[in-house]
């Protein structure tokens, strides 16, 4: 739906369906129900997630035309996509394979270009579109030496520039403005503001400016503008909260370098202080333990009293180090419902969402906002509501905070 502060939706990666027919069935089941509770009298935007198989099937003319007809019938539109997970995302072990294929692989390039061509066909006239994507690769796949990491980064960046060239050609040819929204996350090759900006200024622009100048016959300044228009940040609130980064600082650094936010993914992680008392600490650790499930990665970043950070690749490794007295707080990459601030002795990073939404209200920094709580199937039973009810509750919770002065 459109608000005074941008378009707001939820990401359909909450719904299973790696084949288009299966995912479309989920959309037909849930989108009208959510729309009725959130935006009954206005067009409702959709944050579409297509697995690779579904994207191939949706390119068939009969499927695409049927989807367009359904969107018109339901008064819905697509303005953003999630192009991060390529393959299976439900009813399978995902873990680090959410990054596969990474940006060093041709399959990632072909998949992303295909998604953009679909998005260009679906976007309403005059609307910009964005697709979020992985932070180049998974850090543990290329951390044996600095030389290997640099090689990964160079290869991934050059592949990403192939997409930028296509987006620029589409826009210069009269098509919509579309941007690739890179999504830093814990243990991604890019996982925080410093790494994202370091890559952008130190790798993407130096490689991209001469590439775009050559391919599109533009000058250096225009080439830099093209890259900044077509490669933007996906600001996932959960991910930056896990890194203990204040939203004000993140946005200030982006502004300093003239970098844009293509999409705000509104999501919450788990956090808790770790008491020094044995019994109290055990209660907190046991509460985290109930979120230890085998499908997704739940990286944990611990904070020491001096402010330094301890990183665990997944929740089991953190639980093994639970007795470490130097660590005074844990934050875990487990997307929990936005509308709850506490889960018994655990808290969520909801306060970061409140701060980000206030900044968006004060000075909008993106046109696209998307709620993303994809862990629905693996949430502890006591936290679940009926899916349409829960999604609607999240979107209405966001609406209340971003439109409460209207």
């Amino acid at each position: 739906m459109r608000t005074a502060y941008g378009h707001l939706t939820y990401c359909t990666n909450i719904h299973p369906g790696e084949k288009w027919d299966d995912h479309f069935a989920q959309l037909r089941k849930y989108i009208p129900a959510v729309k009725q509770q959130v935006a009954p009298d206005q067009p409702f935007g959709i944050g579409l997630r297509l697995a690779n198989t579904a994207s191939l099937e949706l390119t068939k003319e009969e499927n695409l035309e049927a989807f367009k007809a359904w969107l018109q019938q339901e008064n819905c539109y697509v303005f953003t996509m999630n192009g991060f997970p390529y393959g299976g995302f439900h009813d399978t072990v995902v873990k680090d394979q959410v990054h596969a294929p990474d940006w060093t692989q041709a399959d990632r390039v072909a998949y992303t270009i295909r998604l953009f061509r679909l998005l260009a066909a679906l976007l309403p006239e005059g609307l910009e579109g964005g697709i979020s994507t992985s932070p180049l690769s998974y850090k543990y796949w290329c951390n044996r030496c600095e030389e290997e990491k640099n090689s990964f980064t160079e290869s991934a960046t050059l592949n990403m520039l192939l997409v930028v060239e296509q987006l620029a050609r589409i826009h210069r040819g009269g098509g919509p403005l579309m941007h690739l929204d890179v999504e830093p996350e814990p243990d991604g090759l890019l996982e925080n503001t410093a790494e994202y900006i370091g890559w952008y200024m130190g790798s993407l622009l130096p490689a991209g400016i001469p590439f775009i100048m050559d391919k599109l016959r533009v000058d250096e300044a225009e080439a830099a503008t093209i890259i900044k228009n077509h490669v933007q940040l996906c600001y996932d609130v959960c991910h930056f909260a896990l890194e203990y980064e204040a939203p004000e600082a993140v946005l200030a650094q982006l502004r300093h370098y003239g970098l844009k936010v293509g999409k705000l993914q509104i999501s919450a992680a788990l956090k808790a202080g770790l008491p020094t008392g044995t019994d109290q600490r055990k209660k907190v650790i046991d509460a985290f333990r109930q979120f230890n499930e085998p499908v997704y990665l739940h990286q944990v970043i611990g904070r020491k009293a001096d402010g330094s950070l301890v990183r665990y690749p997944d929740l089991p490794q953190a639980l093994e180090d639970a007795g470490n007295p130097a660590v005074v707080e844990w934050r875990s990459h487990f997307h929990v419902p936005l509308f709850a601030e506490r889960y018994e002795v655990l808290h969520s990073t909801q306060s970061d969402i409140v701060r980000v939404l206030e900044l968006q209200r004060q000075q909008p920094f993106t046109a696209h906002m998307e709620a993303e709580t994809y862990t629905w199937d693996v949430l502890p039973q006591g936290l679940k509501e009926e899916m349409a009810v829960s999604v609607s509750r999240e979107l209405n919770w966001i609406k209340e905070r971003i439109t409460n002065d209207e």
Side-chain angles (χ1 to χ4, degrees):
M1 79 205 86
R2 188 189 296 270
T3 76
Y5 305 98
H7 297 264
L8 173 63
T9 185
Y10 76 100
C11 183
T12 67
N13 65 357
I14 193 174
H15 304 306
E18 310 314 317
K19 296 181 178 180
W20 171 244
D21 284 349
D22 295 336
H23 196 64
F24 193 19
Q26 291 284 305
L27 301 184
R28 292 196 301 268
K29 178 178 180 180
Y30 289 108
I31 293 290
V34 171
K35 183 182 185 304
Q36 181 60 37
Q37 297 178 63
V38 175
D41 301 319
Q42 62 172 297
F44 182 73
I46 296 174
L48 189 63
R49 185 261 159 163
L50 296 175
N52 182 59
T53 299
S55 72
L56 288 166
E57 293 167 346
L58 188 54
T59 59
K60 296 178 180 177
E61 185 177 357
E62 63 270 24
N63 289 338
L64 186 58
E65 290 306 314
F67 184 44
K68 286 181 176 180
W70 179 81
L71 289 171
Q72 185 174 13
Q73 170 191 312
E74 298 296 337
N75 197 17
C76 292
Y77 61 101
V78 175
F79 66 93
T80 185
M81 289 186 180
N82 187 334
F84 193 151
Y86 173 95
F89 199 60
H90 294 274
D91 302 319
T92 186
V93 176
V94 179
K95 295 294 185 180
D96 61 344
Q97 292 304 301
V98 71
H99 292 273
D102 67 13
W103 272 100
T104 66
Q105 304 297 311
D107 284 349
R108 173 63 65 175
V109 178
Y111 167 63
T112 305
I113 290 174
R114 187 183 313 119
L115 291 183
F116 272 116
R117 295 199 178 280
L118 287 168
L119 182 58
L122 293 168
L123 273 171
E125 184 74 24
L127 201 62
E128 71 175 66
I131 296 178
S132 50
T133 191
S134 79
L136 305 188
S137 187
Y138 182 54
K139 194 165 283 186
Y140 288 106
W141 292 348
C142 53
N143 68 344
R144 287 191 291 273
C145 65
E146 193 64 25
E147 182 179 348
E148 182 182 49
K149 180 180 176 183
N150 291 339
S151 176
F152 258 69
T153 301
E154 180 182 1
S155 175
T157 302
L158 291 174
N159 276 337
M160 194 172 282
L161 286 168
L162 298 176
V163 178
V164 174
E165 179 190 357
Q166 293 299 311
L167 298 182
R169 290 189 184 281
I170 290 170
H171 190 222
R172 288 159 66 90
L177 171 65
M178 298 183 292
H179 36 82
L180 184 63
D181 303 329
V182 179
E183 182 180 343
E185 75 164 35
D187 294 335
L189 198 56
L190 309 175
E191 64 173 296
N192 52 41
T193 309
E195 291 184 355
Y196 174 77
I197 292 176
W199 164 74
Y200 207 113
M201 306 305 294
S203 296
L204 181 64
L205 287 178
I209 288 173
F211 177 85
I212 294 298
M213 289 174 65
D214 177 62
K215 295 293 185 181
L216 300 181
R217 298 292 187 260
V218 296
D219 63 22
E220 183 175 344
E222 188 173 355
T225 298
I226 287 170
I227 294 168
K228 289 184 177 183
N229 282 339
H230 293 297
V231 181
Q232 302 189 23
L233 176 73
C234 176
Y235 187 150
D236 188 303
V237 183
C238 161
H239 298 168
F240 284 87
L242 287 165
E243 299 285 341
Y244 297 84
E245 294 198 64
E248 297 87 346
V250 174
L251 295 173
Q253 291 176 76
L254 294 172
R255 284 195 299 270
H256 177 76
Y257 289 98
L259 304 182
K260 300 178 180 181
V261 177
K263 174 159 64 176
L264 176 63
Q265 267 185 341
I266 304 169
S267 55
L270 288 170
K271 70 175 183 178
L274 300 180
T276 55
T278 303
D279 290 343
Q280 296 92 331
R281 192 180 185 98
K282 184 177 184 302
K283 285 182 181 178
V284 172
I285 298 302
D286 286 345
F288 273 108
R289 202 180 303 276
Q290 70 172 319
F291 290 90
N292 184 22
E293 58 80 29
V295 175
Y296 303 108
L297 277 178
H298 301 297
Q299 303 93 328
V300 175
I301 302 181
R303 180 180 60 84
K304 295 183 177 181
D306 63 4
S308 62
L309 303 179
V310 181
R311 299 176 183 275
Y312 306 96
D314 205 352
L315 190 51
Q317 288 79 26
L319 293 171
E320 290 175 4
D321 195 43
N324 186 344
V327 181
V328 298
E329 182 180 357
W330 275 2
R331 296 189 179 188
S332 178
H333 184 200
F334 197 117
H335 286 224
V336 289
L338 308 180
F339 44 75
E341 185 180 8
R342 297 196 61 164
Y343 300 90
E344 299 178 348
V345 298
L346 304 182
H347 294 255
S348 84
T349 56
Q350 184 194 83
S351 60
D352 284 68
I353 298 173
V354 173
R355 290 162 68 192
V356 169
L357 292 179
E358 179 59 29
L359 294 171
Q360 175 75 351
R361 275 163 38 83
Q362 292 171 5
Q363 185 178 347
F365 54 84
T366 183
H368 295 172
M369 298 178 288
E370 178 184 72
E372 192 200 27
T373 308
Y374 62 80
T375 50
W376 181 260
D377 290 342
V378 298
L379 282 172
Q381 196 59 42
L383 301 182
K384 293 185 180 183
E385 298 184 51
E386 192 276 328
M387 187 177 289
V389 171
S390 184
V391 171
S392 301
R393 188 177 173 188
E394 291 199 322
L395 291 175
N396 282 323
W397 183 89
I398 296 168
K399 278 177 58 182
E400 288 172 7
R401 278 146 191 82
I402 205 164
T403 61
N404 61 13
D405 64 344
E406 295 181 358

